[in-house]
Amino acid sequence: MDARNYYKDGGCNETFPRHELSKHLALEDNHQQYISNIINGHQSLLKSTSKQLKQLRSSCEELETKLINNDYSFNGRWIIKQFSAHFDLFKENPFTNLIISPPIFLTPTKEFSLSLSADTVVNSVNCISVILSKQFQSSSTIKFSFEITNQSQTKSIKKEEKKKFSHLIGSSHSIEFPTSKIYNIHNKFIVNDQLIIKFNIKILSIQDEQQEIEESEENFNNTLITELEE
C-alpha cells in the first residue's frame, strides 16, 4: 500500500514508495495543508450528519404528534380463503389453530393483528369471535369495527367497540357474531369458500376522547322530567 492513500482526501495525489515518505513530507511541509483539508472535510461531514439527525428527530416527533392527535387510522378488508379448510383445522385444535391475519401497521411501530375463533361460546350462544390484538408496548384507547360482508351488502353485519388496551404486547379485545347467521349457507356470508371481514382501527387521542365525552353530554340537552304534583 502506498503512502499517498492516507492524504488523498486532503488533495495529495502523488504516488511514491513508502520508504520515501519522510522525503515527500519534507518537500510538502509535512502535508499541513492536506491534513487541514482532511479535518475540514470531517467537520463538514459531521455538520451534514448532525443536520440529517435533526431532520430524523423532527420526522419522528412529527409522527408521534400525528399519533397523539389521532391522525392515524386503518381501513381494510381481511379475506379468508379456503375457509372450510381453516375451519377444519380450528376444530382439530381451537387453541393453536386460530385463523391469523397478516400484520397491520398503523405506523412503523404501531402493529396490530386480527385473529378469528371460528366457533366459540359466549353467553350460551355459538359465535364467531373476531379478535384485535395490539403488538406494541403502550396502553391505548382504540375504537374498532368489524363488518362480516354479505353477498347482498344490505345484509352485512357490522359491530363497533371502543376499548382500553393495556400496555402489554398482545393485549386484545374481540367482537362476536352468531354462527347461526354466518354459517347458514342460505344467508350468503361465505361465498366461494371465502369469508370477508371489513375492519377499521383507530387509536383515540386525548382530544378525541374529550370530544366524545362532550358529544355524549350534548345528546342529553333535551331532557324530559316526570314528577308528581304536590
Side-chain angles (χ1 to χ4, degrees), residues 74-109:
F74 192 101
N75 289 297
R77 287 195 311 165
W78 182 21
I79 302 174
I80 304 173
K81 298 183 177 182
Q82 297 92 38
F83 185 82
S84 57
H86 283 292
F87 183 84
D88 291 341
L89 286 171
F90 173 83
K91 296 299 286 185
E92 288 178 9
N93 193 331
F95 297 101
T96 61
N97 292 334
L98 287 174
I99 305 171
I100 308 293
S101 76
I104 301 162
F105 291 95
L106 270 68
T107 75
T109 60

PDB file of all heavy atoms in Angstrom, residues 74-109:
ATOM      1  N   PHE A  74     -56.870   2.974  10.265  1.00  0.00           N
ATOM      2  CA  PHE A  74     -56.630   1.980   9.223  1.00  0.00           C
ATOM      3  C   PHE A  74     -57.953   1.347   8.819  1.00  0.00           C
ATOM      4  O   PHE A  74     -58.693   0.838   9.660  1.00  0.00           O
ATOM      5  CB  PHE A  74     -55.671   0.903   9.744  1.00  0.00           C
ATOM      6  CG  PHE A  74     -55.113  -0.015   8.673  1.00  0.00           C
ATOM      7  CD1 PHE A  74     -53.829   0.167   8.182  1.00  0.00           C
ATOM      8  CD2 PHE A  74     -55.871  -1.066   8.160  1.00  0.00           C
ATOM      9  CE1 PHE A  74     -53.307  -0.673   7.204  1.00  0.00           C
ATOM     10  CE2 PHE A  74     -55.369  -1.899   7.178  1.00  0.00           C
ATOM     11  CZ  PHE A  74     -54.079  -1.708   6.698  1.00  0.00           C
ATOM     12  N   ASN A  75     -58.260   1.413   7.534  1.00  0.00           N
ATOM     13  CA  ASN A  75     -59.414   0.718   6.972  1.00  0.00           C
ATOM     14  C   ASN A  75     -58.910  -0.411   6.090  1.00  0.00           C
ATOM     15  O   ASN A  75     -57.960  -0.227   5.323  1.00  0.00           O
ATOM     16  CB  ASN A  75     -60.256   1.662   6.112  1.00  0.00           C
ATOM     17  CG  ASN A  75     -61.007   2.676   6.939  1.00  0.00           C
ATOM     18  OD1 ASN A  75     -61.863   2.333   7.738  1.00  0.00           O
ATOM     19  ND2 ASN A  75     -60.677   3.943   6.774  1.00  0.00           N
ATOM     20  N   GLY A  76     -59.527  -1.553   6.190  1.00  0.00           N
ATOM     21  CA  GLY A  76     -59.068  -2.656   5.361  1.00  0.00           C
ATOM     22  C   GLY A  76     -60.105  -3.755   5.202  1.00  0.00           C
ATOM     23  O   GLY A  76     -61.196  -3.702   5.786  1.00  0.00           O
ATOM     24  N   ARG A  77     -59.733  -4.743   4.412  1.00  0.00           N
ATOM     25  CA  ARG A  77     -60.534  -5.955   4.239  1.00  0.00           C
ATOM     26  C   ARG A  77     -59.650  -7.161   4.523  1.00  0.00           C
ATOM     27  O   ARG A  77     -58.516  -7.231   4.058  1.00  0.00           O
ATOM     28  CB  ARG A  77     -61.063  -6.076   2.815  1.00  0.00           C
ATOM     29  CG  ARG A  77     -62.183  -5.132   2.458  1.00  0.00           C
ATOM     30  CD  ARG A  77     -62.879  -5.560   1.177  1.00  0.00           C
ATOM     31  NE  ARG A  77     -61.937  -5.833   0.093  1.00  0.00           N
ATOM     32  CZ  ARG A  77     -62.241  -6.477  -1.024  1.00  0.00           C
ATOM     33  NH1 ARG A  77     -63.461  -6.943  -1.205  1.00  0.00           N
ATOM     34  NH2 ARG A  77     -61.337  -6.653  -1.961  1.00  0.00           N
ATOM     35  N   TRP A  78     -60.175  -8.083   5.290  1.00  0.00           N
ATOM     36  CA  TRP A  78     -59.476  -9.339   5.561  1.00  0.00           C
ATOM     37  C   TRP A  78     -60.233 -10.446   4.818  1.00  0.00           C
ATOM     38  O   TRP A  78     -61.367 -10.751   5.148  1.00  0.00           O
ATOM     39  CB  TRP A  78     -59.431  -9.599   7.057  1.00  0.00           C
ATOM     40  CG  TRP A  78     -58.688 -10.861   7.445  1.00  0.00           C
ATOM     41  CD1 TRP A  78     -57.764 -11.535   6.701  1.00  0.00           C
ATOM     42  CD2 TRP A  78     -58.818 -11.570   8.681  1.00  0.00           C
ATOM     43  NE1 TRP A  78     -57.303 -12.629   7.389  1.00  0.00           N
ATOM     44  CE2 TRP A  78     -57.925 -12.671   8.609  1.00  0.00           C
ATOM     45  CE3 TRP A  78     -59.581 -11.395   9.831  1.00  0.00           C
ATOM     46  CZ2 TRP A  78     -57.796 -13.588   9.656  1.00  0.00           C
ATOM     47  CZ3 TRP A  78     -59.453 -12.300  10.869  1.00  0.00           C
ATOM     48  CH2 TRP A  78     -58.574 -13.373  10.786  1.00  0.00           C
ATOM     49  N   ILE A  79     -59.594 -10.995   3.809  1.00  0.00           N
ATOM     50  CA  ILE A  79     -60.220 -12.060   3.012  1.00  0.00           C
ATOM     51  C   ILE A  79     -59.641 -13.401   3.463  1.00  0.00           C
ATOM     52  O   ILE A  79     -58.440 -13.647   3.347  1.00  0.00           O
ATOM     53  CB  ILE A  79     -59.964 -11.852   1.509  1.00  0.00           C
ATOM     54  CG1 ILE A  79     -60.505 -10.493   1.061  1.00  0.00           C
ATOM     55  CG2 ILE A  79     -60.604 -12.979   0.698  1.00  0.00           C
ATOM     56  CD1 ILE A  79     -60.176 -10.129  -0.377  1.00  0.00           C
ATOM     57  N   ILE A  80     -60.494 -14.249   3.992  1.00  0.00           N
ATOM     58  CA  ILE A  80     -60.073 -15.581   4.433  1.00  0.00           C
ATOM     59  C   ILE A  80     -60.499 -16.584   3.359  1.00  0.00           C
ATOM     60  O   ILE A  80     -61.685 -16.912   3.229  1.00  0.00           O
ATOM     61  CB  ILE A  80     -60.689 -15.946   5.788  1.00  0.00           C
ATOM     62  CG1 ILE A  80     -60.349 -14.874   6.832  1.00  0.00           C
ATOM     63  CG2 ILE A  80     -60.185 -17.315   6.255  1.00  0.00           C
ATOM     64  CD1 ILE A  80     -61.049 -15.065   8.159  1.00  0.00           C
ATOM     65  N   LYS A  81     -59.525 -17.051   2.601  1.00  0.00           N
ATOM     66  CA  LYS A  81     -59.801 -18.021   1.542  1.00  0.00           C
ATOM     67  C   LYS A  81     -59.735 -19.444   2.097  1.00  0.00           C
ATOM     68  O   LYS A  81     -59.175 -19.673   3.154  1.00  0.00           O
ATOM     69  CB  LYS A  81     -58.805 -17.850   0.391  1.00  0.00           C
ATOM     70  CG  LYS A  81     -58.882 -16.487  -0.276  1.00  0.00           C
ATOM     71  CD  LYS A  81     -57.920 -16.384  -1.456  1.00  0.00           C
ATOM     72  CE  LYS A  81     -58.047 -15.041  -2.168  1.00  0.00           C
ATOM     73  NZ  LYS A  81     -57.158 -14.939  -3.344  1.00  0.00           N
ATOM     74  N   GLN A  82     -60.310 -20.403   1.362  1.00  0.00           N
ATOM     75  CA  GLN A  82     -60.383 -21.796   1.822  1.00  0.00           C
ATOM     76  C   GLN A  82     -60.900 -21.862   3.269  1.00  0.00           C
ATOM     77  O   GLN A  82     -60.313 -22.503   4.136  1.00  0.00           O
ATOM     78  CB  GLN A  82     -59.022 -22.509   1.726  1.00  0.00           C
ATOM     79  CG  GLN A  82     -58.466 -22.653   0.323  1.00  0.00           C
ATOM     80  CD  GLN A  82     -57.550 -21.502  -0.059  1.00  0.00           C
ATOM     81  OE1 GLN A  82     -56.790 -20.997   0.749  1.00  0.00           O
ATOM     82  NE2 GLN A  82     -57.634 -21.080  -1.304  1.00  0.00           N
ATOM     83  N   PHE A  83     -61.999 -21.156   3.514  1.00  0.00           N
ATOM     84  CA  PHE A  83     -62.481 -21.049   4.885  1.00  0.00           C
ATOM     85  C   PHE A  83     -62.825 -22.409   5.476  1.00  0.00           C
ATOM     86  O   PHE A  83     -62.574 -22.652   6.666  1.00  0.00           O
ATOM     87  CB  PHE A  83     -63.711 -20.135   4.950  1.00  0.00           C
ATOM     88  CG  PHE A  83     -64.188 -19.890   6.355  1.00  0.00           C
ATOM     89  CD1 PHE A  83     -63.575 -18.934   7.143  1.00  0.00           C
ATOM     90  CD2 PHE A  83     -65.226 -20.639   6.896  1.00  0.00           C
ATOM     91  CE1 PHE A  83     -63.984 -18.721   8.447  1.00  0.00           C
ATOM     92  CE2 PHE A  83     -65.649 -20.436   8.192  1.00  0.00           C
ATOM     93  CZ  PHE A  83     -65.032 -19.464   8.980  1.00  0.00           C
ATOM     94  N   SER A  84     -63.368 -23.297   4.685  1.00  0.00           N
ATOM     95  CA  SER A  84     -63.749 -24.619   5.211  1.00  0.00           C
ATOM     96  C   SER A  84     -62.525 -25.374   5.719  1.00  0.00           C
ATOM     97  O   SER A  84     -62.576 -26.051   6.755  1.00  0.00           O
ATOM     98  CB  SER A  84     -64.476 -25.439   4.139  1.00  0.00           C
ATOM     99  OG  SER A  84     -63.671 -25.584   2.985  1.00  0.00           O
ATOM    100  N   ALA A  85     -61.397 -25.251   5.014  1.00  0.00           N
ATOM    101  CA  ALA A  85     -60.168 -25.921   5.459  1.00  0.00           C
ATOM    102  C   ALA A  85     -59.666 -25.288   6.761  1.00  0.00           C
ATOM    103  O   ALA A  85     -59.226 -26.002   7.676  1.00  0.00           O
ATOM    104  CB  ALA A  85     -59.095 -25.822   4.373  1.00  0.00           C
ATOM    105  N   HIS A  86     -59.725 -23.953   6.836  1.00  0.00           N
ATOM    106  CA  HIS A  86     -59.354 -23.280   8.086  1.00  0.00           C
ATOM    107  C   HIS A  86     -60.248 -23.732   9.233  1.00  0.00           C
ATOM    108  O   HIS A  86     -59.770 -23.961  10.358  1.00  0.00           O
ATOM    109  CB  HIS A  86     -59.475 -21.758   7.929  1.00  0.00           C
ATOM    110  CG  HIS A  86     -58.355 -21.132   7.172  1.00  0.00           C
ATOM    111  ND1 HIS A  86     -57.064 -21.066   7.661  1.00  0.00           N
ATOM    112  CD2 HIS A  86     -58.329 -20.528   5.957  1.00  0.00           C
ATOM    113  CE1 HIS A  86     -56.294 -20.442   6.784  1.00  0.00           C
ATOM    114  NE2 HIS A  86     -57.033 -20.111   5.740  1.00  0.00           N
ATOM    115  N   PHE A  87     -61.529 -23.870   8.952  1.00  0.00           N
ATOM    116  CA  PHE A  87     -62.482 -24.278   9.975  1.00  0.00           C
ATOM    117  C   PHE A  87     -62.159 -25.678  10.482  1.00  0.00           C
ATOM    118  O   PHE A  87     -62.189 -25.931  11.696  1.00  0.00           O
ATOM    119  CB  PHE A  87     -63.910 -24.223   9.425  1.00  0.00           C
ATOM    120  CG  PHE A  87     -64.962 -24.561  10.433  1.00  0.00           C
ATOM    121  CD1 PHE A  87     -65.446 -23.583  11.295  1.00  0.00           C
ATOM    122  CD2 PHE A  87     -65.469 -25.850  10.539  1.00  0.00           C
ATOM    123  CE1 PHE A  87     -66.420 -23.896  12.238  1.00  0.00           C
ATOM    124  CE2 PHE A  87     -66.438 -26.164  11.482  1.00  0.00           C
ATOM    125  CZ  PHE A  87     -66.919 -25.180  12.336  1.00  0.00           C
ATOM    126  N   ASP A  88     -61.832 -26.595   9.568  1.00  0.00           N
ATOM    127  CA  ASP A  88     -61.495 -27.968   9.975  1.00  0.00           C
ATOM    128  C   ASP A  88     -60.253 -27.992  10.859  1.00  0.00           C
ATOM    129  O   ASP A  88     -60.192 -28.727  11.857  1.00  0.00           O
ATOM    130  CB  ASP A  88     -61.271 -28.851   8.736  1.00  0.00           C
ATOM    131  CG  ASP A  88     -62.562 -29.102   7.966  1.00  0.00           C
ATOM    132  OD1 ASP A  88     -63.645 -28.923   8.566  1.00  0.00           O
ATOM    133  OD2 ASP A  88     -62.482 -29.450   6.773  1.00  0.00           O
ATOM    134  N   LEU A  89     -59.244 -27.198  10.493  1.00  0.00           N
ATOM    135  CA  LEU A  89     -58.029 -27.123  11.316  1.00  0.00           C
ATOM    136  C   LEU A  89     -58.342 -26.558  12.697  1.00  0.00           C
ATOM    137  O   LEU A  89     -57.829 -27.038  13.718  1.00  0.00           O
ATOM    138  CB  LEU A  89     -56.972 -26.242  10.634  1.00  0.00           C
ATOM    139  CG  LEU A  89     -56.260 -26.847   9.427  1.00  0.00           C
ATOM    140  CD1 LEU A  89     -55.401 -25.778   8.737  1.00  0.00           C
ATOM    141  CD2 LEU A  89     -55.388 -28.026   9.850  1.00  0.00           C
ATOM    142  N   PHE A  90     -59.206 -25.552  12.731  1.00  0.00           N
ATOM    143  CA  PHE A  90     -59.581 -24.954  14.003  1.00  0.00           C
ATOM    144  C   PHE A  90     -60.278 -25.967  14.897  1.00  0.00           C
ATOM    145  O   PHE A  90     -59.993 -26.042  16.099  1.00  0.00           O
ATOM    146  CB  PHE A  90     -60.499 -23.747  13.754  1.00  0.00           C
ATOM    147  CG  PHE A  90     -61.068 -23.167  15.021  1.00  0.00           C
ATOM    148  CD1 PHE A  90     -60.322 -22.261  15.768  1.00  0.00           C
ATOM    149  CD2 PHE A  90     -62.335 -23.527  15.456  1.00  0.00           C
ATOM    150  CE1 PHE A  90     -60.838 -21.730  16.947  1.00  0.00           C
ATOM    151  CE2 PHE A  90     -62.852 -22.989  16.629  1.00  0.00           C
ATOM    152  CZ  PHE A  90     -62.109 -22.091  17.375  1.00  0.00           C
ATOM    153  N   LYS A  91     -61.175 -26.753  14.333  1.00  0.00           N
ATOM    154  CA  LYS A  91     -61.912 -27.725  15.141  1.00  0.00           C
ATOM    155  C   LYS A  91     -60.988 -28.802  15.701  1.00  0.00           C
ATOM    156  O   LYS A  91     -61.235 -29.352  16.771  1.00  0.00           O
ATOM    157  CB  LYS A  91     -63.024 -28.364  14.307  1.00  0.00           C
ATOM    158  CG  LYS A  91     -64.102 -27.404  13.853  1.00  0.00           C
ATOM    159  CD  LYS A  91     -64.834 -26.750  15.027  1.00  0.00           C
ATOM    160  CE  LYS A  91     -65.799 -27.701  15.716  1.00  0.00           C
ATOM    161  NZ  LYS A  91     -66.586 -27.026  16.768  1.00  0.00           N
ATOM    162  N   GLU A  92     -59.889 -29.098  14.979  1.00  0.00           N
ATOM    163  CA  GLU A  92     -58.926 -30.085  15.475  1.00  0.00           C
ATOM    164  C   GLU A  92     -58.250 -29.594  16.744  1.00  0.00           C
ATOM    165  O   GLU A  92     -58.019 -30.366  17.676  1.00  0.00           O
ATOM    166  CB  GLU A  92     -57.860 -30.375  14.410  1.00  0.00           C
ATOM    167  CG  GLU A  92     -58.367 -31.190  13.231  1.00  0.00           C
ATOM    168  CD  GLU A  92     -57.277 -31.396  12.199  1.00  0.00           C
ATOM    169  OE1 GLU A  92     -56.106 -31.061  12.483  1.00  0.00           O
ATOM    170  OE2 GLU A  92     -57.599 -31.882  11.092  1.00  0.00           O
ATOM    171  N   ASN A  93     -57.901 -28.299  16.782  1.00  0.00           N
ATOM    172  CA  ASN A  93     -57.277 -27.727  17.968  1.00  0.00           C
ATOM    173  C   ASN A  93     -57.559 -26.225  18.016  1.00  0.00           C
ATOM    174  O   ASN A  93     -56.812 -25.425  17.457  1.00  0.00           O
ATOM    175  CB  ASN A  93     -55.761 -27.972  17.975  1.00  0.00           C
ATOM    176  CG  ASN A  93     -55.153 -27.670  19.338  1.00  0.00           C
ATOM    177  OD1 ASN A  93     -55.646 -26.832  20.081  1.00  0.00           O
ATOM    178  ND2 ASN A  93     -54.078 -28.373  19.673  1.00  0.00           N
ATOM    179  N   PRO A  94     -58.633 -25.834  18.699  1.00  0.00           N
ATOM    180  CA  PRO A  94     -59.031 -24.420  18.731  1.00  0.00           C
ATOM    181  C   PRO A  94     -57.989 -23.498  19.367  1.00  0.00           C
ATOM    182  O   PRO A  94     -57.989 -22.304  19.112  1.00  0.00           O
ATOM    183  CB  PRO A  94     -60.319 -24.437  19.565  1.00  0.00           C
ATOM    184  CG  PRO A  94     -60.819 -25.845  19.468  1.00  0.00           C
ATOM    185  CD  PRO A  94     -59.594 -26.700  19.379  1.00  0.00           C
ATOM    186  N   PHE A  95     -57.107 -24.052  20.208  1.00  0.00           N
ATOM    187  CA  PHE A  95     -56.147 -23.211  20.920  1.00  0.00           C
ATOM    188  C   PHE A  95     -54.932 -22.849  20.064  1.00  0.00           C
ATOM    189  O   PHE A  95     -54.326 -21.803  20.244  1.00  0.00           O
ATOM    190  CB  PHE A  95     -55.695 -23.905  22.212  1.00  0.00           C
ATOM    191  CG  PHE A  95     -56.817 -24.131  23.183  1.00  0.00           C
ATOM    192  CD1 PHE A  95     -57.403 -25.380  23.305  1.00  0.00           C
ATOM    193  CD2 PHE A  95     -57.316 -23.080  23.947  1.00  0.00           C
ATOM    194  CE1 PHE A  95     -58.453 -25.596  24.185  1.00  0.00           C
ATOM    195  CE2 PHE A  95     -58.363 -23.293  24.834  1.00  0.00           C
ATOM    196  CZ  PHE A  95     -58.935 -24.554  24.957  1.00  0.00           C
ATOM    197  N   THR A  96     -54.565 -23.734  19.154  1.00  0.00           N
ATOM    198  CA  THR A  96     -53.370 -23.476  18.333  1.00  0.00           C
ATOM    199  C   THR A  96     -53.699 -23.113  16.894  1.00  0.00           C
ATOM    200  O   THR A  96     -52.828 -22.618  16.172  1.00  0.00           O
ATOM    201  CB  THR A  96     -52.440 -24.708  18.327  1.00  0.00           C
ATOM    202  OG1 THR A  96     -53.144 -25.825  17.760  1.00  0.00           O
ATOM    203  CG2 THR A  96     -51.988 -25.048  19.734  1.00  0.00           C
ATOM    204  N   ASN A  97     -54.934 -23.336  16.475  1.00  0.00           N
ATOM    205  CA  ASN A  97     -55.269 -23.139  15.063  1.00  0.00           C
ATOM    206  C   ASN A  97     -56.239 -21.983  14.836  1.00  0.00           C
ATOM    207  O   ASN A  97     -57.123 -22.046  13.978  1.00  0.00           O
ATOM    208  CB  ASN A  97     -55.852 -24.428  14.467  1.00  0.00           C
ATOM    209  CG  ASN A  97     -54.818 -25.534  14.375  1.00  0.00           C
ATOM    210  OD1 ASN A  97     -53.627 -25.266  14.279  1.00  0.00           O
ATOM    211  ND2 ASN A  97     -55.265 -26.771  14.418  1.00  0.00           N
ATOM    212  N   LEU A  98     -56.061 -20.912  15.606  1.00  0.00           N
ATOM    213  CA  LEU A  98     -56.806 -19.695  15.296  1.00  0.00           C
ATOM    214  C   LEU A  98     -56.434 -19.229  13.885  1.00  0.00           C
ATOM    215  O   LEU A  98     -55.305 -19.414  13.438  1.00  0.00           O
ATOM    216  CB  LEU A  98     -56.464 -18.589  16.290  1.00  0.00           C
ATOM    217  CG  LEU A  98     -57.013 -18.698  17.719  1.00  0.00           C
ATOM    218  CD1 LEU A  98     -56.436 -17.580  18.572  1.00  0.00           C
ATOM    219  CD2 LEU A  98     -58.530 -18.644  17.728  1.00  0.00           C
ATOM    220  N   ILE A  99     -57.385 -18.638  13.200  1.00  0.00           N
ATOM    221  CA  ILE A  99     -57.097 -18.081  11.872  1.00  0.00           C
ATOM    222  C   ILE A  99     -56.479 -16.703  12.088  1.00  0.00           C
ATOM    223  O   ILE A  99     -57.076 -15.837  12.733  1.00  0.00           O
ATOM    224  CB  ILE A  99     -58.384 -17.994  11.038  1.00  0.00           C
ATOM    225  CG1 ILE A  99     -59.059 -19.376  10.958  1.00  0.00           C
ATOM    226  CG2 ILE A  99     -58.076 -17.470   9.636  1.00  0.00           C
ATOM    227  CD1 ILE A  99     -60.454 -19.361  10.349  1.00  0.00           C
ATOM    228  N   ILE A 100     -55.262 -16.490  11.573  1.00  0.00           N
ATOM    229  CA  ILE A 100     -54.498 -15.273  11.840  1.00  0.00           C
ATOM    230  C   ILE A 100     -54.335 -14.455  10.565  1.00  0.00           C
ATOM    231  O   ILE A 100     -54.030 -14.988   9.501  1.00  0.00           O
ATOM    232  CB  ILE A 100     -53.097 -15.610  12.407  1.00  0.00           C
ATOM    233  CG1 ILE A 100     -53.215 -16.568  13.601  1.00  0.00           C
ATOM    234  CG2 ILE A 100     -52.359 -14.329  12.793  1.00  0.00           C
ATOM    235  CD1 ILE A 100     -53.874 -15.984  14.805  1.00  0.00           C
ATOM    236  N   SER A 101     -54.513 -13.151  10.695  1.00  0.00           N
ATOM    237  CA  SER A 101     -54.329 -12.245   9.562  1.00  0.00           C
ATOM    238  C   SER A 101     -52.853 -11.887   9.405  1.00  0.00           C
ATOM    239  O   SER A 101     -52.054 -12.060  10.328  1.00  0.00           O
ATOM    240  CB  SER A 101     -55.127 -10.957   9.781  1.00  0.00           C
ATOM    241  OG  SER A 101     -54.458 -10.119  10.726  1.00  0.00           O
ATOM    242  N   PRO A 102     -52.461 -11.355   8.232  1.00  0.00           N
ATOM    243  CA  PRO A 102     -51.142 -10.727   8.108  1.00  0.00           C
ATOM    244  C   PRO A 102     -51.072  -9.521   9.051  1.00  0.00           C
ATOM    245  O   PRO A 102     -52.099  -9.009   9.497  1.00  0.00           O
ATOM    246  CB  PRO A 102     -51.090 -10.284   6.635  1.00  0.00           C
ATOM    247  CG  PRO A 102     -52.110 -11.129   5.943  1.00  0.00           C
ATOM    248  CD  PRO A 102     -53.201 -11.357   6.956  1.00  0.00           C
ATOM    249  N   PRO A 103     -49.862  -9.037   9.378  1.00  0.00           N
ATOM    250  CA  PRO A 103     -49.733  -7.887  10.287  1.00  0.00           C
ATOM    251  C   PRO A 103     -50.337  -6.615   9.699  1.00  0.00           C
ATOM    252  O   PRO A 103     -50.366  -6.430   8.486  1.00  0.00           O
ATOM    253  CB  PRO A 103     -48.222  -7.755  10.491  1.00  0.00           C
ATOM    254  CG  PRO A 103     -47.604  -8.436   9.316  1.00  0.00           C
ATOM    255  CD  PRO A 103     -48.541  -9.548   8.941  1.00  0.00           C
ATOM    256  N   ILE A 104     -50.810  -5.751  10.587  1.00  0.00           N
ATOM    257  CA  ILE A 104     -51.415  -4.472  10.212  1.00  0.00           C
ATOM    258  C   ILE A 104     -50.615  -3.365  10.891  1.00  0.00           C
ATOM    259  O   ILE A 104     -50.453  -3.373  12.111  1.00  0.00           O
ATOM    260  CB  ILE A 104     -52.882  -4.405  10.673  1.00  0.00           C
ATOM    261  CG1 ILE A 104     -53.696  -5.554  10.054  1.00  0.00           C
ATOM    262  CG2 ILE A 104     -53.507  -3.055  10.335  1.00  0.00           C
ATOM    263  CD1 ILE A 104     -55.004  -5.811  10.775  1.00  0.00           C
ATOM    264  N   PHE A 105     -50.112  -2.409  10.111  1.00  0.00           N
ATOM    265  CA  PHE A 105     -49.291  -1.336  10.669  1.00  0.00           C
ATOM    266  C   PHE A 105     -50.004   0.010  10.504  1.00  0.00           C
ATOM    267  O   PHE A 105     -50.210   0.471   9.386  1.00  0.00           O
ATOM    268  CB  PHE A 105     -47.930  -1.276   9.976  1.00  0.00           C
ATOM    269  CG  PHE A 105     -47.037  -2.449  10.294  1.00  0.00           C
ATOM    270  CD1 PHE A 105     -46.995  -3.554   9.458  1.00  0.00           C
ATOM    271  CD2 PHE A 105     -46.247  -2.438  11.435  1.00  0.00           C
ATOM    272  CE1 PHE A 105     -46.178  -4.637   9.747  1.00  0.00           C
ATOM    273  CE2 PHE A 105     -45.421  -3.513  11.731  1.00  0.00           C
ATOM    274  CZ  PHE A 105     -45.382  -4.615  10.892  1.00  0.00           C
ATOM    275  N   LEU A 106     -50.377   0.625  11.643  1.00  0.00           N
ATOM    276  CA  LEU A 106     -50.880   1.995  11.585  1.00  0.00           C
ATOM    277  C   LEU A 106     -49.725   2.965  11.404  1.00  0.00           C
ATOM    278  O   LEU A 106     -49.859   4.000  10.757  1.00  0.00           O
ATOM    279  CB  LEU A 106     -51.669   2.340  12.844  1.00  0.00           C
ATOM    280  CG  LEU A 106     -53.174   2.029  12.775  1.00  0.00           C
ATOM    281  CD1 LEU A 106     -53.408   0.529  12.718  1.00  0.00           C
ATOM    282  CD2 LEU A 106     -53.909   2.652  13.947  1.00  0.00           C
ATOM    283  N   THR A 107     -48.587   2.653  12.023  1.00  0.00           N
ATOM    284  CA  THR A 107     -47.320   3.342  11.822  1.00  0.00           C
ATOM    285  C   THR A 107     -46.249   2.251  11.862  1.00  0.00           C
ATOM    286  O   THR A 107     -46.553   1.104  12.208  1.00  0.00           O
ATOM    287  CB  THR A 107     -47.020   4.380  12.940  1.00  0.00           C
ATOM    288  OG1 THR A 107     -46.629   3.678  14.130  1.00  0.00           O
ATOM    289  CG2 THR A 107     -48.220   5.260  13.215  1.00  0.00           C
ATOM    290  N   PRO A 108     -44.992   2.576  11.525  1.00  0.00           N
ATOM    291  CA  PRO A 108     -43.960   1.538  11.576  1.00  0.00           C
ATOM    292  C   PRO A 108     -43.804   0.872  12.937  1.00  0.00           C
ATOM    293  O   PRO A 108     -43.319  -0.255  13.023  1.00  0.00           O
ATOM    294  CB  PRO A 108     -42.679   2.304  11.191  1.00  0.00           C
ATOM    295  CG  PRO A 108     -43.170   3.400  10.313  1.00  0.00           C
ATOM    296  CD  PRO A 108     -44.488   3.819  10.909  1.00  0.00           C
ATOM    297  N   THR A 109     -44.221   1.563  14.023  1.00  0.00           N
ATOM    298  CA  THR A 109     -44.074   0.992  15.357  1.00  0.00           C
ATOM    299  C   THR A 109     -45.408   0.611  15.996  1.00  0.00           C
ATOM    300  O   THR A 109     -45.422   0.127  17.118  1.00  0.00           O
ATOM    301  CB  THR A 109     -43.348   1.986  16.289  1.00  0.00           C
ATOM    302  OG1 THR A 109     -44.110   3.197  16.375  1.00  0.00           O
ATOM    303  CG2 THR A 109     -41.948   2.287  15.772  1.00  0.00           C
TER     304      THR A 109
END
